[in-house]
Amino acid sequence: MKIGLYFGSFNPVHIGHLIIANHVADNTDLKQVWFVVSPQNPLKNAGDLLNENHRLHLIRLCIEDNKRLRASNVEFGLPKPSYTINTLTYLSEKYPDNEFVVILGSDSFCNLPKWKNYKQLIEQYKIIIYKRRGAELDNMPATLQKASFSVLNAPLLEISSTMIRGLIKKGKSIHYLVPDKAREEIQQFKYYRK
């Protein structure tokens, strides 16, 4: 089975994440798209992170009616911080009959040279890139031109998890920015209030 891996902190998951995952599932030959929840991204500050199990649960609430989308806790049992190449190696060994494809925004793709063992990643795995404003592929580092990638024009919204956390801290509404099931859970358990 061909599976797309959509890595992220999803802190919290929002409609922009869900639109991209669904669009990739609908417009490629992938059988499933997995949200791979990263307990700790080595390039981000861990201070604002909600517990990984809560973030995983919020995604599961949002996608429970979509059989092509799945939430994965695979990185929870791997050494921290989470390095994409380690996760890919682990999944490829555990599920040798599956083909794993990495889903990245153009901004993340252009930053790949900062990632651990990125050359191994681009040599061994295909990448689906969705365009992000301000991160044009014309300016990609020369080292990435050998990567096996395809570019998908996905609907983009100017929404970020950082913005959503900021609204919550200020007591503002996050209606329509996150699905209702996730929003209700965030409100009930007072996530991101501190």
Side-chain angles (χ1 to χ4, degrees):
M1 180 170 15
K2 197 169 183 180
I3 297 168
L5 300 177
Y6 186 16
F7 291 87
S9 301
F10 305 110
N11 187 40
V13 65
H14 56 69
I15 61 166
H17 295 133
L18 297 165
I19 288 169
I20 288 168
N22 191 63
H23 187 80
V24 171
D26 279 350
N27 293 282
T28 64
D29 61 348
L30 298 175
K31 298 298 179 203
Q32 289 184 336
V33 171
W34 293 3
F35 287 82
V36 181
V37 179
S38 300
Q40 183 187 343
N41 180 324
L43 300 177
K44 290 187 179 177
N45 179 2
D48 282 340
L49 277 178
L50 184 66
N51 173 282
E52 61 257 31
N53 288 301
H54 296 318
R55 288 183 278 132
L56 179 75
H57 178 66
L58 290 174
I59 295 171
R60 286 183 172 154
L61 282 175
C62 295
I63 64 172
E64 62 189 356
D65 61 345
N66 189 329
K67 295 190 182 328
R68 297 193 59 205
L69 304 182
R70 190 175 146 195
S72 172
N73 64 356
V74 64
E75 290 192 341
F76 294 11
L78 298 176
K80 292 173 187 61
S82 307
Y83 292 104
T84 302
I85 192 61
N86 295 351
T87 307
L88 287 164
T89 302
Y90 174 81
L91 286 170
S92 296
E93 289 173 0
K94 184 168 182 176
Y95 304 104
D97 294 336
N98 290 340
E99 178 186 352
F100 293 100
V101 177
V102 180
I103 300 167
L104 291 175
S106 55
D107 54 341
S108 295
F109 179 75
C110 289
N111 281 326
L112 272 179
K114 296 179 182 174
W115 294 23
K116 178 183 176 185
N117 297 345
Y118 83 96
K119 287 184 180 175
Q120 180 186 351
L121 191 155
I122 65 173
E123 287 168 8
Q124 296 180 356
Y125 298 93
K126 293 178 182 167
I127 301 171
I128 295 173
I129 302 170
Y130 59 93
K131 291 183 181 178
R132 299 283 300 264
R133 285 181 193 83
E136 300 307 319
L137 294 172
D138 304 341
N139 303 327
M140 83 169 83
T143 54
L144 296 178
Q145 292 173 4
K146 295 178 184 173
S148 173
F149 65 87
S150 58
V151 180
L152 192 63
N153 285 316
L156 294 179
L157 301 175
E158 294 294 326
I159 298 174
S160 72
S161 295
T162 303
M163 178 189 81
I164 292 167
R165 292 193 307 272
L167 290 171
I168 294 168
K169 286 177 184 168
K170 292 175 186 171
K172 305 278 187 187
S173 171
I174 58 168
H175 264 92
Y176 315 115
L177 298 173
V178 297
D180 286 343
K181 290 178 181 180
R183 179 183 53 78
E184 289 162 8
E185 189 106 346
I186 288 167
Q187 289 174 335
Q188 179 182 350
F189 294 105
K190 297 179 171 45
Y191 294 154
Y192 304 111
R193 296 277 168 153
K194 296 178 186 176

